[in-house]
Amino acid sequence: MSKRDYYEILGVSRTVTEVELKGSFRKLAMQHHPDKNPGDKQAEIKFKELNEAYQVLSDGQKRAAYDRYGHQAFENGGGAGGPADMSDFMSDIFESFFGEGRGRGPRGANARERGADLRYNLEIGLEDAYAGKNETIRVPTSMACEVCSGTGAKAGSKSRQCPTCGGHGRVRASQGFFSVERTCPTCNGRGEIIDDPCTGCQGAGRVTRERTLSVNIPAGVEDGTRIRLAGEGEAGLRGGPAGDLYIFLSIKPHAIFQRDGADLFCRVPIGLTSAALGGEIEVPTLNGEKARVKIPEGTQTGKQFRLKAKGMSVLRSREMGDLYIQVLVETPQKLTARQRELLMEFERESSGATHPETAGFFGRVKDFLGGLGGAA
Ligand SMILES: [Zn+2]
Ligand SMILES: [Zn+2]
């Protein structure tokens, strides 16, 4: 039987954020928890499946491995059950993909090592998330040394096998009844000794350089999205493949708009008279244009108006979310004597017809108090 996709099990998309993932897992785990479904074999299987999927997707490195290799990432490395130690299964992945066939034994002098994955935090504006953007970033990263091509040895010289460990990189030491394996102290696990180190990298084989990379940010990205740049991570050791670079996107809060998925919200203050008399207001849209909203006579504070397709762009889609304009009626302050006079005059003309909410509320209050009096 083929295994189900982890994202599918958790009912989330492949671009799910850590927070959303956790929420979805919690909800489903509660639902299928064995305590809640006693004797239900299906629920038990489901619960195990959920746990396994969450264990992988909630761990950045494991998730990256899963995104790349699918279930295969965990098939070779693990013992019984879940994924084994990360470095173990990474080396197994490495083998199955590059056919090194070096087994899981000691690391020879030629043992290649995959470079580490790197994380880069990138903050963008809501406008950039709306329109998409090509962002240029500068990433300090270690690369194979150009002078020695990553060998660490000076040109013309050669590294030799470490005499302490015989090139294995690890040594065994006896402690009483036990035999303990540890990293070789002579070569620090490299398995080789460099007598004449390269001057470009002091024998490390790697140098730190700042690289300029171009990141394509698609329109409609969500806060917390990860973008993987394959092979742009740290350089591998001894000719091993480079790691990946993960761009973690965060979106800055906007001064005017709030986002909720594909929709945008904007609160717009309007004057008391505009709200009472009605009219038209001009509101901004995220693409820098303006839209007009008709305010009907007698509009109350908090009223929302929907502008169709004026919201956020949707990832990998031509669709657009909506823009919701919420009007807030502003009560006038610091009145002049004349304004005060006009409002007092207005007040004298007010009635239950002009203020139905007020009239209705105080009517209900009267009934309520009257009811209490009757019961007493
Ligand atoms: Zn070098
Ligand atoms: Zn050694």
Side-chain angles (χ1 to χ4, degrees):
M1 198 184 86
S2 66
K3 279 186 97 163
R4 273 177 72 202
D5 179 65
Y6 283 154
Y7 289 96
E8 198 185 302
I9 290 170
L10 290 166
V12 293
S13 75
R14 299 190 85 84
T15 54
V16 68
T17 64
E18 282 169 44
V19 177
E20 287 165 351
L21 185 75
K22 197 170 184 179
S24 188
F25 169 69
R26 272 209 188 139
K27 207 178 101 205
L28 290 168
M30 289 260 260
Q31 204 177 318
H32 299 289
H33 198 283
D35 288 353
K36 283 204 171 170
N37 307 273
D40 184 345
K41 266 267 169 268
Q42 276 312 104
E44 198 185 313
I45 292 169
K46 203 122 196 198
F47 186 69
K48 277 190 182 152
E49 215 177 34
L50 281 168
N51 269 311
E52 184 186 321
Y54 183 68
Q55 229 183 54
V56 170
L57 297 188
S58 60
D59 179 310
Q61 274 196 311
K62 287 179 187 171
R63 180 171 168 181
Y66 179 72
D67 284 349
R68 259 175 115 175
Y69 306 113
H71 287 298
Q72 210 167 343
F74 312 104
E75 271 160 16
N76 301 331
D85 176 58
M86 184 70 196
S87 60
D88 265 5
F89 81 76
M90 283 313 284
S91 75
D92 281 348
I93 289 167
F94 185 78
E95 264 167 43
S96 59
F97 274 77
F98 299 92
E100 280 290 293
R102 61 188 162 83
R104 239 198 279 167
R107 311 192 315 186
N110 295 319
R112 298 175 172 188
E113 206 174 288
R114 184 178 178 273
D117 290 337
L118 296 177
R119 175 185 177 138
Y120 185 95
N121 296 330
L122 180 60
E123 198 182 44
I124 60 169
L126 191 61
E127 300 91 320
D128 300 331
Y130 171 85
K133 192 183 189 190
N134 235 323
E135 178 91 19
T136 303
I137 58 168
R138 300 172 72 79
V139 189
T141 181
S142 72
M143 305 170 69
C145 169
E146 302 94 334
V147 182
C148 62
S149 315
T151 63
K154 204 169 190 169
S157 77
K158 267 196 168 167
S159 59
R160 63 186 165 90
Q161 200 178 68
C162 171
T164 311
C165 61
H168 291 305
R170 300 184 72 77
V171 286
R172 286 190 158 276
S174 291
Q175 283 179 358
F177 295 111
F178 302 101
S179 171
V180 185
E181 202 185 62
R182 61 160 70 98
T183 303
C184 170
T186 311
C187 62
N188 286 321
R190 291 185 63 142
E192 56 184 11
I193 303 284
I194 296 166
D195 293 315
D196 207 356
C198 162
T199 47
C201 61
Q202 279 75 46
R206 291 195 278 199
V207 286
T208 303
R209 292 268 184 280
E210 197 167 65
R211 284 187 305 156
T212 305
L213 293 170
S214 174
V215 187
N216 180 39
I217 298 164
V221 286
E222 296 268 356
D223 187 56
T225 300
R226 303 177 320 156
I227 298 174
R228 185 170 69 96
L229 299 184
E232 300 290 3
E234 210 169 58
L237 273 178
R238 294 171 287 275
D244 299 331
L245 174 66
Y246 287 91
I247 311 283
F248 281 69
L249 280 183
S250 58
I251 298 172
K252 275 182 259 186
H254 197 275
I256 295 172
F257 299 103
Q258 283 89 47
R259 178 190 193 179
D260 182 9
D263 295 329
L264 288 174
F265 292 84
C266 180
R267 299 174 122 185
V268 180
I270 61 171
L272 192 64
T273 41
S274 306
L277 303 174
E280 213 174 41
I281 55 168
E282 217 171 47
V283 294
T285 55
L286 192 51
N287 61 2
E289 289 173 8
K290 280 175 178 161
R292 305 190 73 82
V293 180
K294 203 176 168 320
I295 305 293
E297 242 181 79
T299 291
Q300 302 297 339
T301 194
K303 168 94 181 154
Q304 269 193 0
F305 299 92
R306 183 168 77 135
L307 301 183
K308 249 188 110 85
K310 296 279 186 199
M312 204 60 198
S313 25
V314 179
L315 194 65
R316 286 186 281 276
S317 159
R318 291 228 183 118
E319 274 173 52
M320 300 292 287
D322 301 329
L323 171 60
Y324 289 88
I325 300 292
Q326 187 181 41
V327 296
L328 298 174
V329 177
E330 187 175 27
T331 307
Q333 304 174 54
K334 296 187 179 159
L335 303 176
T336 63
R338 171 79 182 131
Q339 284 170 327
R340 185 173 293 273
E341 200 179 302
L342 285 170
L343 279 180
M344 305 252 285
E345 194 179 332
F346 170 79
E347 179 63 23
R348 281 193 289 276
E349 297 270 325
S350 296
S351 65
T354 53
H355 294 83
E357 282 292 329
T358 312
F361 177 74
F362 286 108
R364 287 195 296 278
V365 169
K366 207 170 149 189
D367 290 348
F368 165 64
L369 295 176
L372 283 185

